[in-house]
Amino acid sequence: MPPTVHDAASIQSAEVEENGSQYKAQGKTHSLRPSFDATVAVRPADGRRPKEKQSLDYVLRTGLAGGLAGCAAKTVVGPLDRVKILFQASNPQFAKYSGSWFGVVTAMRDINRQDGMRGLFRGHSATLLRIFPYAAIKFLAYEQVRAILIPSPAKETPLRRLLSGSLAGVTSVFFVYPLEVIRVRLAFETNHHSRSSLSSICSQIYHEHPPRGSTAASGIPVADAVISQVPRPRSGLVNFYRGFSPTLLGMLPYAGISFLTHDTAGDWLRLPVIASYTTTPNPKNPSAPPILKYWAELLAGGSAGLVSQTASYPLEVIRRRMQVGGAVGDGHRLGIAETARSIWRERGFRGFFVGLGIGYFKVVPMAAVSFYVYERGKAVLGV
């Protein structure tokens, strides 16, 4: 009797368990994701026993690859990041430039004329301090969470990929969010004669609290007697998590969709019909599953950035407004709903997508470089 579909599946599962991969050197069996064997273990080039994902060596190598990927990606788009923050936060000096590509070029030209190239990278040192641990934690957390949620090929579904990416993003942003607040505040400053140092920015954020006798969100003065009856936000470390709630809400779709799109695009680019054009042997271990060629990896990463940016951008705009809440206006802390209503009153629906064009121009190459450096870093490091 010829083998049934169930029998074939059982045989294939046994091969996965024995070899740690669905990819066969003879080309007889190909997985849509040949790197799946990394979910359980990684086979080094010297043929030794595969390294478990929970091992310290694997975690350190994955974290190093992720951190370097994040730094490389952020450096490539540093000037665009500075301009985008100024647009999103409605900086009075640069708000007039938002809404057009010409405005982006004009804003960059003005910054360069006023402060030189250093002005285009203002806050970049804080960015690198933040992005290395952030990217390292994000990528290694994704690998760890993925190993738990997708323990076998039969469990690999789009939903599980989405959840793996979302949980990895939330984990990473929790640890490095204070550095993001500092970076945004540094990038928001445009007054050439009153530059703040990193220490002064930290002190300013730490001690911020709403002044008595300030105005409410509607602009109507509030009596001291009324304010005294309302709990006032305290100064302290909590100020470094300003805008954290919308960040979590935005990170869930952004990180989840980013990893899902990248992995799905990678599956399509590894289809047997085009694999000979899109893949290349692993440089550290030719017997291991092949990796995507540089242009294919950049394409997969860029697609991930495009899709994820569109899905999460409105929450990113709200987050930026909340982060600079102490730098503009009366300094009182805005909630998510109040910030959203403020944006709607100012610009309507389009206000939630201010700077999206420059966002694409920044995020697509950033995601492409990030995934490319990460995947190549893993190959070089033997993971």
Side-chain angles (χ1 to χ4, degrees):
M1 178 182 295
T4 64
V5 174
H6 177 73
D7 293 331
S10 300
I11 295 173
Q12 188 178 44
S13 298
E15 291 176 344
V16 171
E17 197 169 353
E18 178 181 355
N19 300 297
S21 173
Q22 287 177 293
Y23 174 84
K24 297 296 182 183
Q26 295 84 357
K28 296 180 180 179
T29 304
H30 293 272
S31 168
L32 290 182
R33 181 176 171 81
S35 59
F36 178 81
D37 56 321
T39 302
V40 178
V42 178
R43 187 176 301 280
D46 57 9
R48 292 175 301 173
R49 195 177 171 187
K51 289 177 288 192
E52 295 295 329
K53 271 200 162 187
Q54 288 71 30
S55 68
L56 178 61
D57 181 59
Y58 182 89
V59 170
L60 292 177
R61 289 170 183 261
T62 304
L64 177 60
L68 293 177
C71 289
K74 274 294 186 180
T75 300
V76 168
V77 299
L80 289 172
D81 199 29
R82 172 85 198 278
V83 174
K84 192 188 76 165
I85 290 175
L86 293 173
F87 284 178
Q88 286 181 332
S90 295
N91 184 283
Q93 184 177 342
F94 291 90
K96 59 185 177 182
Y97 296 139
S98 63
S100 69
W101 289 106
F102 182 74
V104 173
V105 176
T106 304
M108 294 179 67
R109 185 187 62 192
D110 287 355
I111 295 173
N112 184 62
R113 182 187 298 119
Q114 181 177 350
D115 300 320
M117 284 297 295
R118 293 183 61 183
L120 292 173
F121 285 92
R122 178 156 179 79
H124 191 61
S125 57
T127 297
L128 296 182
L129 289 175
R130 176 192 68 90
I131 200 64
F132 186 90
Y134 167 78
I137 295 172
K138 182 181 71 172
F139 281 110
L140 73 85
Y142 177 69
E143 300 288 356
Q144 298 298 318
V145 174
R146 178 183 167 85
I148 296 173
L149 296 182
I150 311 177
S152 66
K155 299 291 186 179
E156 187 158 13
T157 64
L159 178 59
R160 290 174 183 267
R161 284 178 170 178
L162 179 70
L163 290 176
S164 298
S166 297
L167 292 176
V170 170
T171 301
S172 60
V173 78
F174 175 79
F175 288 102
V176 299
Y177 189 80
L179 289 172
E180 168 71 358
V181 175
I182 296 171
R183 180 185 73 90
V184 170
R185 188 65 65 84
L186 284 170
F188 185 74
E189 288 190 348
T190 57
N191 191 333
H192 181 71
H193 300 290
S194 59
R195 295 298 189 196
S196 299
S197 64
L198 183 61
S199 59
S200 63
I201 283 288
C202 292
S203 177
Q204 179 184 342
I205 296 173
Y206 184 87
H207 293 98
E208 281 175 355
H209 58 78
R212 290 187 181 275
S214 63
T215 58
S218 61
I220 302 175
V222 181
D224 287 346
V226 176
I227 293 180
S228 63
Q229 299 174 8
V230 180
R232 298 167 60 201
R234 294 173 296 177
S235 61
L237 294 178
V238 67
N239 285 342
F240 288 93
Y241 282 88
R242 178 174 288 164
F244 187 63
S245 297
T247 296
L248 288 183
L249 294 178
M251 182 55 65
L252 289 172
Y254 180 82
I257 294 175
S258 178
F259 278 106
L260 170 62
T261 304
H262 173 265
D263 288 355
T264 302
D267 289 348
W268 293 343
L269 291 170
R270 290 185 177 95
L271 288 172
V273 66
I274 61 173
S276 60
Y277 304 101
T278 60
T279 61
T280 185
N282 190 308
K284 292 285 288 187
N285 186 7
S287 64
I291 59 177
L292 292 177
K293 291 183 177 180
Y294 75 92
W295 65 266
E297 187 61 65
L298 290 173
L299 176 62
S303 300
L306 179 69
V307 176
S308 58
Q309 176 76 352
T310 303
S312 63
Y313 196 79
L315 284 169
E316 184 179 352
V317 173
I318 294 175
R319 172 169 64 94
R320 298 296 191 196
R321 283 291 189 92
M322 294 179 69
Q323 286 177 333
V324 300
V328 295
D330 61 11
H332 87 285
R333 186 175 289 116
L334 298 176
I336 297 177
E338 187 178 2
T339 303
R341 285 194 297 268
S342 176
I343 296 173
W344 180 268
R345 284 195 302 267
E346 292 176 9
R347 302 193 179 187
F349 180 76
R350 294 182 61 183
F352 293 97
F353 293 92
V354 171
L356 181 58
I358 188 175
Y360 285 143
F361 196 60
K362 187 199 83 164
V363 170
V364 171
M366 184 178 72
V369 171
S370 179
F371 278 110
Y372 173 80
V373 174
Y374 176 65
E375 293 296 337
R376 287 299 187 271
K378 288 202 304 180
V380 172
L381 294 173
V383 295

